[in-house]
Amino acid sequence: MKQRSWMSGVVGLGVGFVLGGVTLALVAGDVIRKTMGQSAAALAGDGIVTMSPRPGGSDALQRKTMKSFGSSNSYDDESVGSRGGGGAEPPMAAAPVMEVAAPPEPEMEEGSVSEDKGGAAAPTRAWFPETFLFEPLVVTDANGSATVPVRVPDRLTQWRVLALAHSRSGAQAGAVTSFAGTLPTYVDPVLPPFLRAGDTVRLPVQVVNTTDKAVEAALKVDVKGAQVEAGARTVRVPARGSVVELVTVKAGGAGPVTLRASLGDTDAVVRDFDVWATGQPVVQTRGGSLAAPRTLSLVGPADAQAGSERVRLQVYPGALGMVRAELAAVERRPVDVAGDAYALLLAGQAPELLKSLGETADPAALKALSLVATQRVLRAGRAPSIEVATRLAEGALAHPDNPVLARLGERLVAQVAQAQRPDGTCQGGEGWTLQRLLVATANCARTVRAAQGTPEGKQRAAAFTVRASGVFERYLPQVKDGYTAAVLLAEGSAEGGVADALRTRVREALKSGPDGTAWLPVEPDTVRADGELPSEAEATAMAVLALQGDAKAPLADLGAWLLAHYTPGLGWGDGQANRVGLRAALALFKDPLPARVRVTVARDGQVVTEGTYDTKALREVLALEAAAPGSAGTHAWTVRAEPAVPGLGFSLALSAAVPWKSEVKGGLQLAVTGPKEARVGQLTNVRVQVGAPSSLPLRFQQELPAGVQVDPASLAALVASGQVTSWDVQDGALSLDLSPREQGAPVQVEFRVLPTLAGTLQAGAARLGVPGRPDITASLPPTTWAVR
């Protein structure tokens, strides 16, 4: 591959205009991703910037490779040589290492390496990203120049380079260039994204000759995870021409497949795809905490299809991961008083929280979040009700350096304190139950105690607490549910014997699952101070806060349930639930994460899969997955972390596929007629006949054979005719939403498909159902298509 200049006088891939900071992206083909540069803290003087990507790399170039286990953000530095391209020149200057992941060489079975007559192994291409470089900030040197060494992927295509730049003075510019990555002769297998178990396909393997002489070489195709027929032969390719050879591959059971195609000693390609099971998926899930080894009992199906049994372990982030996730997502959530108050509180407390968990806050990001939350809170705080004041006060008080928010917080606390009645209760109104009044009083007590920075504030909080404690003591016999008892303990002012009695009620109300986790259910007619029904996540978080220091409380089990029900981007629910949930997570998992944690999944004492996470990876939701053949029946599964980490939760899922059976529930009827014999490249019809009770919205789903594409025009015609309201094609399946039918004959719809692979292909199951009604369904087992 040759280096090409963007502009006259500039060597290599670079920009030739005045700038100081550069955003650089390299993208395959015509795909351009939108990229935006970030401001540099300090930019060098104006000058020429030369970005010099070097195809093929060099022995001196450092690349970052993915570890065998962990997140895609975990890398090891290792030196690499030229691979899959032409020669490379020495680097022009020291340059930052780009964040790209080059996978290790795939392992093939013995004897799978193609050799020529002299025995030399062909160089192997196995790294095929679409976008392989994104440098959000490249700072130039004093001369205004910078060099970014890159290793060009093994994809043979036209690459496009986009650079956006700006100078310290604010001037902006950009440029686009492209270069080709190719080889004199190369092999290119055409693979489907998946096959289904039992498929027999004829895969095209293209051999291309870009030279001026004819080429005769040995073509060899090896497959790991499936069977290949007639995988070795000699091919002759004319000058400036290409030939296509067909290789038969038989997919047995489900699982990953690795195909290696080699052309003498000139080129070799390794690509992966999956073989999907054709059966009905069955999944069992258990959860827990990595605070100690956890042994779980899972029962695998006896009739699981070969290769379909898999185990997957997901590790959920601890307190640090949650704080980071909440800071990233809180501003994008729907606007309401509780959410705005929580955002303001989080922005104020984040610096200390992150510091205690071993990470430094981003002042600029926190400032932006504070500004947005402040504007919203100030609007809500102009004439707030007592209920709104209790939500806003703590968030405002979390910003003592902001005089506007500090004064707002004091005013809101004073308003809440003045709202306490002579009998000690706070809030209330017509139609309020005693349970809601007690919860509201506890919320008020927490709000008043949040402003004790002055002698007046301490005196006010003490007086409010004494009267509220009297309320809780008087009505203790009426506190029957665990949620209310937890709120009085976590938010209120219960002390002494009253607190002991409430703890007992919370512990007695807890429920335990078969996986060892525990949670606090919510009784009917139980509400929060705002009249809304609390979620089980909020109730469980309240239980964690209420039972702090209680030796009899299953705090680790409650924490495991809480972690497993956290969703990045959504949290635990609304602003109130997220405020309480984050408090609980921080109370349970306040210790910083260890530098490295080794996680092991074992079945009956035998390790099935294991791996090591580093601190950076532990901040994200991560997964371990492995095949688990022989899991039929009852087995003991053990999840172990070394060292133990209370701040991490896990979810263990055992999945398998069992044979489909025809099923009819609720009076549905379904018949699907596929093509008797289809041909590659020719459209063919699929007919669907449906019978169902009138006025029911129906959804039809058909799992398509590998390589079969749906004709969009035929689906659009169904929508235009009113037979179908919408359609969707993804992951090898077609979904049709059928219009509600009137009383009469069954509905019949037809659509066209285009096969692109020849062979004997398995179509997955067909299903008909009513959205939201699992009791009304019909299904048909998989069928076999013959494609010529």
Side-chain angles (χ1 to χ4, degrees):
M1 300 180 190
K2 296 183 179 180
Q3 292 182 332
R4 298 174 59 186
S5 62
W6 289 7
M7 302 183 69
S8 177
V10 180
V11 179
L13 298 175
V15 286
F17 40 79
V18 178
L19 41 84
V22 179
T23 296
L24 186 65
L26 280 82
V27 186
D30 295 328
V31 180
I32 292 296
R33 305 289 171 88
K34 294 181 179 179
T35 57
M36 292 298 296
Q38 299 179 2
S39 298
L43 291 176
D46 292 343
I48 300 296
V49 173
T50 302
M51 318 298 293
S52 301
R54 297 172 298 134
S58 72
D59 291 340
L61 176 61
Q62 297 288 312
R63 85 159 182 252
K64 294 191 172 184
T65 60
M66 292 179 62
K67 294 182 177 178
S68 59
F69 174 74
S71 78
S72 59
N73 294 326
S74 300
Y75 302 91
D76 284 333
D77 289 338
E78 66 180 29
S79 180
V80 297
S82 177
R83 182 173 160 212
E89 298 178 2
M92 297 176 60
V97 179
M98 62 181 176
E99 296 288 334
V100 296
E105 291 286 349
E107 296 181 358
M108 295 294 293
E109 295 179 351
E110 185 177 355
S112 64
V113 178
S114 176
E115 298 180 354
D116 67 358
K117 296 179 181 180
T124 302
R125 297 183 289 115
W127 184 41
F128 304 102
E130 283 190 354
T131 300
F132 70 95
L133 170 65
F134 175 68
E135 282 286 344
L137 177 62
V138 177
V139 181
T140 64
D141 60 19
N143 297 320
S145 299
T147 300
V148 179
V150 302
R151 173 178 170 269
V152 176
D154 299 328
R155 183 188 298 270
L156 304 181
T157 185
Q158 189 80 9
W159 292 96
R160 180 170 293 187
V161 187
L162 166 68
L164 304 175
H166 63 85
S167 69
R168 183 167 52 186
S169 61
Q172 299 182 7
V176 176
T177 191
S178 62
F179 65 91
T182 187
L183 292 172
T185 56
Y186 61 89
V187 60
D188 185 18
V190 180
L191 303 182
F194 68 92
L195 291 178
R196 298 189 186 276
D199 283 351
T200 298
V201 297
R202 302 181 68 192
L203 296 179
V205 180
Q206 185 180 31
V207 183
V208 180
N209 179 14
T210 65
T211 69
D212 295 327
K213 296 182 179 180
V215 172
E216 184 173 325
L219 173 65
K220 187 175 182 181
V221 177
D222 293 284
V223 179
K224 182 179 179 180
Q227 295 180 345
V228 60
E229 295 181 357
R233 66 194 70 174
T234 300
V235 296
R236 179 177 176 83
V237 189
R240 300 291 176 179
S242 65
V243 297
V244 175
E245 299 288 327
L246 296 176
V247 177
T248 301
V249 174
K250 295 182 178 180
V257 173
T258 300
L259 183 145
R260 186 179 194 274
S262 60
L263 181 66
D265 62 351
T266 62
D267 186 31
V269 177
V270 173
R271 290 184 179 272
D272 300 325
F273 61 91
D274 289 325
V275 175
W276 294 357
T278 57
Q280 182 176 8
V282 177
V283 182
Q284 296 180 72
T285 304
R286 300 286 187 270
S289 168
L290 296 181
R294 177 84 68 176
T295 300
L296 311 166
S297 179
L298 296 175
V299 182
D303 55 349
Q305 294 182 340
S308 67
E309 296 168 295
R310 300 191 66 82
V311 63
R312 178 179 176 86
L313 177 76
Q314 286 185 297
V315 178
Y316 296 92
L320 177 57
M322 290 180 179
V323 172
R324 293 172 66 245
E326 288 298 284
L327 286 171
V330 68
E331 188 178 347
R332 300 192 301 270
R333 289 174 181 157
V335 177
D336 58 33
V337 173
D340 295 340
Y342 169 64
L344 189 63
L345 177 65
L346 183 61
Q349 294 182 343
E352 289 299 321
L353 292 177
L354 293 171
K355 182 179 179 181
S356 67
L357 296 171
E359 187 163 306
T360 304
D362 182 352
L366 291 181
K367 182 178 179 180
L369 175 60
S370 298
L371 288 174
V372 174
T374 297
Q375 294 171 356
R376 296 173 179 174
V377 166
L378 289 177
R379 286 196 298 268
R382 292 172 181 171
S385 63
I386 301 301
E387 189 270 328
V388 171
T390 60
R391 294 182 182 274
L392 300 181
E394 191 174 5
L397 291 171
H399 298 264
D401 296 334
N402 186 320
V404 175
L405 290 177
R407 286 195 299 270
L408 174 63
E410 285 292 337
R411 176 169 64 84
L412 295 174
V413 169
Q415 179 183 356
V416 173
Q418 293 171 3
Q420 190 177 32
R421 296 187 177 88
D423 65 352
T425 60
C426 182
Q427 299 191 61
E430 185 178 353
W432 279 51
T433 62
L434 176 62
Q435 180 269 327
R436 181 181 178 185
L437 181 62
L438 293 176
V439 170
T441 302
N443 290 344
C444 291
R446 174 178 171 80
T447 299
V448 175
R449 290 200 310 275
Q452 300 187 63
T454 63
E456 179 185 357
K458 292 181 180 179
Q459 183 179 4
R460 179 177 56 201
F464 194 102
T465 299
V466 168
R467 291 192 290 269
S469 298
V471 174
F472 303 150
E473 184 174 1
R474 287 197 307 272
Y475 293 108
L476 178 63
Q478 279 73 45
V479 180
K480 303 295 185 181
D481 67 288
Y483 171 75
T484 303
V487 173
L488 300 189
L489 281 168
E491 303 266 88
S493 309
E495 298 177 350
V498 174
D500 293 338
L502 292 173
R503 289 191 190 94
T504 300
R505 292 178 190 179
V506 174
R507 291 198 305 267
E508 291 175 348
L510 298 177
K511 299 292 184 182
S512 297
D515 55 0
T517 59
W519 72 96
L520 180 61
V522 178
E523 299 294 332
D525 301 325
T526 300
V527 297
R528 306 186 307 197
D530 59 0
E532 297 294 329
L533 179 70
S535 65
E536 287 190 339
E538 181 181 343
T540 302
M542 280 292 186
V544 169
L545 297 172
L547 298 176
Q548 287 297 300
D550 188 341
K552 300 179 181 178
L555 291 176
D557 297 336
L558 291 169
W561 190 95
L562 201 61
L563 285 174
H565 287 76
Y566 175 80
T567 303
L570 299 176
W572 289 279
D574 62 7
Q576 168 72 3
N578 286 329
R579 178 182 69 84
V580 179
L582 189 60
R583 281 178 56 202
L586 292 169
L588 284 171
F589 314 127
K590 53 183 175 293
D591 295 331
L593 295 172
R596 296 174 71 84
V597 176
R598 186 158 190 82
V599 181
T600 303
V601 179
R603 183 185 65 196
D604 299 332
Q606 300 296 318
V607 174
V608 176
T609 183
E610 60 184 356
T612 301
Y613 294 123
D614 62 17
T615 303
K616 186 176 182 180
L618 287 167
R619 300 171 183 175
E620 312 294 340
V621 178
L622 300 171
L624 259 178
E625 187 169 354
S631 295
T634 303
H635 295 273
W637 293 82
T638 302
V639 181
R640 182 189 305 272
E642 297 175 351
V645 187
L648 294 177
F650 72 85
S651 175
L652 183 70
L654 177 65
S655 62
V658 300
W660 279 94
K661 298 178 181 178
S662 297
E663 183 181 26
V664 175
K665 294 181 180 178
L668 296 187
Q669 297 177 353
L670 175 64
V672 179
T673 304
K676 294 182 179 180
E677 183 176 294
R679 294 188 176 276
V680 171
Q682 294 183 8
L683 290 170
T684 185
N685 290 345
V686 176
R687 181 183 300 110
V688 181
Q689 291 179 301
V690 171
S694 61
S695 304
L696 285 179
L698 301 175
R699 176 168 295 168
F700 167 76
Q701 294 176 298
Q702 173 69 65
E703 297 177 3
L704 300 170
V708 171
Q709 301 176 4
V710 181
D711 176 35
S714 64
L715 298 178
L718 291 176
V719 174
S721 67
Q723 294 176 283
V724 171
T725 58
S726 64
W727 58 272
D728 183 48
V729 179
Q730 60 181 357
D731 295 334
L734 167 66
S735 296
L736 299 177
D737 289 324
L738 306 178
S739 305
R741 59 183 294 276
E742 299 179 356
Q743 206 74 21
V747 175
Q748 177 175 299
V749 298
E750 286 192 14
F751 58 91
R752 293 181 298 179
V753 296
L754 180 68
T756 61
L757 285 177
T760 303
L761 305 174
Q762 310 299 311
R767 284 158 286 180
L768 180 67
V770 178
R773 294 290 304 275
D775 57 317
I776 304 179
T777 183
S779 62
L780 297 175
T783 57
T784 301
W785 290 22
V787 182
R788 307 302 179 196

